[in-house]
Amino acid sequence: MHRQVAESFGVDAARYDRTRPHYPEAMVARIVAESPGPELLDIGCGTGIEARQFLAAGCRVLGVEPDTRMAEFARATRVPVELGTFETWDPAGREFDAVIAGQAWHWVDPVVGAGKAAAVLRPRGRFAAFWNASEPPAAITDAFITAFQRVLPESPFKVEAMRLGRKGYPALTDRAADGIRTSGLFADPELWRFDWEQSYTRAEWLDVLPTQGGLTRLAPEPLGVVLNEVGAAIDALGGSCTVRYATVVVTATLA
């Protein structure tokens, strides 16, 4: 199931690319500045959201992506992509100045992944995994959780954790940092954080929701229930909302 969810985001690759938030330019600039060169490997590159940001910053980027639909979309935006999971991907002797993973490293075995990242990095190369942790207004989160639990009472997704908002990111970052330490191949990992916010209309936020892991495989009828109730919560707030984000980065240099 873990793998099925990981590869479900390509159901509507265009929507995913259109609605998913990008990453702060300050984060991109810092990763570039603290890497020894411009050649990057992007793990789980999806539709190429972060890859295009790094390309715009002057990097050369190669993506690795297990979902054919996502990879095809990324290639159409001129991001070079090779198919496969990172654990099974063959680097064919190639090396990179940085290995990055945007919103994807939680699908990779953290110890095996850290070891493979180290194997393809040049001396002083940098590894950086990053996530956007979102925090909508509490009323919207409450409406989502209530509706989701009603239409999918047996779902293994721990939607209650969404109430943590930006405070919930350690569940992702701690696992990544532990994998880096266990590998013994990197300097001690650092945690970077970038706070920002984005405003959404009702239609815009309801466009984002179906791209989230708990909803990508949901049938149209229960999905409609969730969207209707979240939409009603946004209407009660005046028809729009501001979502706060914390972009968190776990990063380390090759030892």
Side-chain angles (χ1 to χ4, degrees):
M1 178 179 173
H2 188 78
R3 178 53 58 191
Q4 288 174 347
V5 174
E7 297 179 7
S8 70
F9 297 101
V11 168
D12 192 342
R15 183 203 292 263
Y16 186 98
D17 192 78
R18 181 180 69 249
T19 65
R20 281 296 186 110
H22 290 200
Y23 300 94
E25 292 301 326
M27 182 206 77
V28 174
R30 186 170 180 185
I31 291 173
V32 172
E34 299 196 22
S35 298
E39 293 193 43
L40 273 66
L41 180 67
D42 184 4
I43 305 308
C45 69
T47 59
I49 292 172
E50 69 271 7
R52 294 194 298 273
Q53 290 187 256
F54 280 93
L55 285 168
C59 295
R60 295 187 292 274
V61 182
L62 173 64
V64 176
E65 169 59 42
D67 190 305
T68 302
R69 300 160 298 184
M70 301 285 264
E72 288 177 350
F73 189 100
R75 288 172 183 148
T77 67
R78 299 186 179 180
V79 175
V81 183
E82 296 182 5
L83 277 174
T85 62
F86 183 47
E87 294 94 331
T88 61
W89 172 72
D90 181 8
R94 290 167 291 182
E95 293 183 330
F96 302 86
D97 299 300
V99 172
I100 63 170
Q103 216 76 23
W105 196 250
H106 52 289
W107 302 116
V108 177
D109 181 291
V111 178
V112 174
K116 190 153 188 177
V120 300
L121 280 171
R122 296 190 175 109
R124 298 182 295 109
R126 177 166 294 278
F127 169 77
F130 43 89
W131 295 265
N132 282 324
S134 63
E135 187 176 323
I140 294 175
T141 300
D142 291 343
F144 177 88
I145 291 172
T146 300
F148 186 88
Q149 290 177 331
R150 187 167 72 253
V151 301
L152 279 179
E154 305 300 323
S155 173
F157 286 96
K158 299 177 181 178
V159 289
E160 283 288 346
M162 294 175 66
R163 298 191 197 280
L164 293 172
R166 292 173 297 168
K167 297 178 182 177
Y169 70 79
L172 298 171
T173 57
D174 288 355
R175 182 173 180 266
D178 288 345
I180 290 169
R181 294 189 187 97
T182 300
S183 75
L185 299 168
F186 290 87
D188 199 46
E190 304 171 47
L191 180 66
W192 302 343
R193 174 170 168 159
F194 303 83
D195 290 304
W196 55 286
E197 59 185 40
Q198 183 168 329
S199 296
Y200 294 88
T201 64
R202 180 188 197 275
E204 287 169 342
W205 188 245
L206 297 187
D207 206 18
V208 174
L209 284 185
T211 72
Q212 298 187 358
L215 300 182
T216 52
R217 302 169 68 223
L218 201 57
E221 185 174 348
L223 175 61
V225 171
V226 174
L227 296 182
N228 285 339
E229 298 204 11
V230 172
I234 298 174
D235 289 340
L237 294 175
S240 63
C241 64
T242 296
V243 177
R244 296 178 178 178
Y245 286 95
T247 299
V248 289
V249 186
V250 176
T251 183
T253 54
L254 197 62

